[in-house]
């Protein structure tokens, strides 16, 4: 039987009358990168904090490396939170050294990209470099599980690519990786995806599994702002990327009728749906249920 490194079984977390995570079950196995996707407020960070034992579950069970997420099991974990978990009043070298000693590991050498910042306070180095420091600190003890909450947010494309090389390298050596991201291009680099909406898990599987047979309609028009407003007012699941309008899982005839009634000329073309469009559809369905 495959060893499960990280598991949630029917986990729920309530804050008073608000349910942040609602009956979620998931797992992470050795050597796989699992992407946890969802809009802000979907419950991703709350789920992660329960998995790591940072907050208690209201109901259900979490397991880290075969048991409850206690202090000893967390020593075998690498974690990069949204806030990076670094000490702004320590230098880059001091942050890395402190983290390594806390885990009883040898202090890793700073890579060339960070060597010039060795004696600089972390709060004074660029965000991209801070994220590299956080990764270096989290990986110093060769963790068996790596949990990354928005690890590439706010950094440029080259830095994101380098960090993803690191993530894949950790999976290749056998670590299980759970990562949240808002970048749909990064979702394509995950072995498996978990989609959350309003605290619930609404889909899981590969990108192709989740998109399934969902299609979209591309709307081409010179009056894109009015077209978007008209379709949105009609309740269509419309998305806008630049000036490109797309509507997921829609009837072209209905869309044409809405646009015609608004006096807007447009051409409509069926196209394959994206993971973002499928997420929008699933979120709408979850809220309606």
């Amino acid at each position: 039987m495959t060893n499960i490194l990280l598991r949630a079984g029917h986990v729920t977390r309530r804050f008073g009358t608000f349910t942040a995570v609602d009956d979620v079950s998931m797992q992470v196995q050795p050597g796989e990168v699992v992407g946890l996707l969802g809009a802000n407020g979907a419950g991703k960070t709350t789920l992660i904090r329960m998995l790591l034992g940072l907050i208690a579950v209201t109901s259900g069970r979490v397991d880290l490396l075969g048991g409850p997420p206690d202090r000893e099991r967390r020593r075998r974990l690498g974690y990069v939170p949204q806030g990076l978990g670094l000490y702004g009043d320590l230098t880059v070298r001091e942050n890395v050294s402190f983290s390594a000693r806390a885990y009883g590991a040898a202090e890793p050498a700073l890579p060339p990209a960070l060597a010039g910042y060795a004696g600089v306070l972390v709060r004074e180095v660029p965000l991209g470099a801070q994220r590299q420091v956080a990764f270096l600190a989290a990986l110093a003890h060769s963790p068996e599980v790596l949990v990354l909450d928005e690890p590439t947010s706010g950094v440029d494309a080259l830095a994101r690519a380098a960090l993803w090389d690191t993530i894949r390298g950790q999976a290749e050596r056998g670590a299980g990786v759970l990562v949240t991201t808002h970048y749909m291009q990064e979702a394509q680099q995950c072995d498996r995806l978990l989609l959350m909406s309003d605290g619930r898990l609404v889909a899981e599987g590969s990108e192709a599994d989740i998109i399934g047979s969902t299609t979209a309609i591309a709307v081409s028009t010179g009056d894109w702002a009015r077209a978007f407003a008209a379709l949105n007012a009609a309740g269509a699941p419309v998305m806008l990327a630049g000036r490109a309008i797309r509507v997921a899982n829609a009837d072209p005839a209905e869309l044409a009728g809405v646009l015609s009634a608004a006096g807007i000329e447009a051409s409509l073309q069926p196209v394959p749906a994206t993971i973002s469009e499928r997420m929008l559809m699933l979120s709408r369905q979850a809220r309606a249920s």
Side-chain angles (χ1 to χ4, degrees):
M1 181 178 177
T2 302
N3 182 35
I4 305 300
L5 300 179
L6 199 59
R7 185 203 309 265
H10 300 286
V11 166
T12 294
R13 172 67 195 199
R14 298 187 184 91
F15 296 94
T17 60
F18 173 68
T19 301
V21 174
D22 187 3
D23 192 29
V24 170
S25 295
M26 51 74 67
Q27 63 184 35
V28 178
Q29 300 177 359
E32 71 170 346
V33 179
V34 177
L36 182 60
L37 309 182
N40 289 334
K44 305 185 300 297
T45 297
T46 300
L47 175 61
I48 284 175
R49 291 175 63 82
M50 287 190 291
L51 287 166
L52 303 185
L54 300 178
I55 58 174
V57 302
T58 302
S59 62
R61 176 186 174 90
V62 296
D63 290 294
L64 171 65
L65 295 162
D70 56 20
R71 185 186 297 268
E72 286 305 310
R73 289 187 176 88
R74 285 201 294 263
R75 289 178 66 87
R76 300 154 61 190
L77 164 81
Y79 176 41
V80 179
Q82 284 188 18
L84 300 182
L86 300 173
Y87 297 93
D89 55 351
L90 297 181
T91 67
V92 166
R93 188 181 301 282
E94 287 169 342
N95 267 275
V96 174
S97 177
F98 175 80
S99 180
R101 291 180 182 181
Y103 283 104
E107 180 180 340
L110 295 178
L114 293 178
Y117 296 116
V120 181
L121 296 181
V122 158
R123 65 169 177 256
E124 296 176 358
V125 304
L127 178 58
Q130 289 186 30
R131 293 200 177 278
Q132 292 180 60
V133 175
F135 264 66
L136 190 62
L139 299 177
H141 59 297
S142 299
E144 297 167 57
V145 180
L146 189 59
V147 178
L148 310 170
D149 198 359
E150 302 287 347
T152 63
S153 178
V155 300
D156 61 45
L158 286 176
R160 290 203 306 271
L163 292 175
W164 269 94
D165 282 344
T166 301
I167 292 170
R168 291 306 323 183
Q170 293 301 303
E172 288 169 4
R173 72 169 179 81
V177 183
L178 178 66
V179 55
T180 71
T181 179
H182 282 300
Y183 297 105
M184 292 303 102
Q185 302 95 325
E186 294 184 358
Q188 297 172 353
Q189 300 193 52
C190 298
D191 301 308
R192 190 159 50 84
L193 300 174
L194 306 171
L195 267 57
M196 290 188 69
S197 177
D198 294 330
R200 287 179 281 177
L201 188 64
V202 296
E204 61 180 306
S206 68
E207 182 181 21
D209 292 336
I210 292 172
I211 293 175
S213 60
T214 304
T215 58
I217 302 297
V219 180
S220 299
T221 176
D223 201 355
W224 60 271
R226 286 184 58 227
F228 178 86
L231 293 171
N232 189 53
V238 60
M239 299 187 75
L240 188 64
R243 298 183 178 184
I245 298 173
R246 292 169 60 101
V247 188
N249 202 34
D251 181 345
E254 292 183 5
L255 298 184
V258 170
L259 295 171
S260 177
I264 299 169
E265 294 185 3
S267 62
L268 285 71
Q269 178 68 39
V271 294
T274 65
I275 187 69
S276 297
E277 289 160 348
R278 182 58 177 157
M279 286 175 62
L280 176 61
M281 293 300 303
L282 290 168
S283 295
R284 285 186 166 221
Q285 292 169 11
R287 290 169 184 164
S289 63

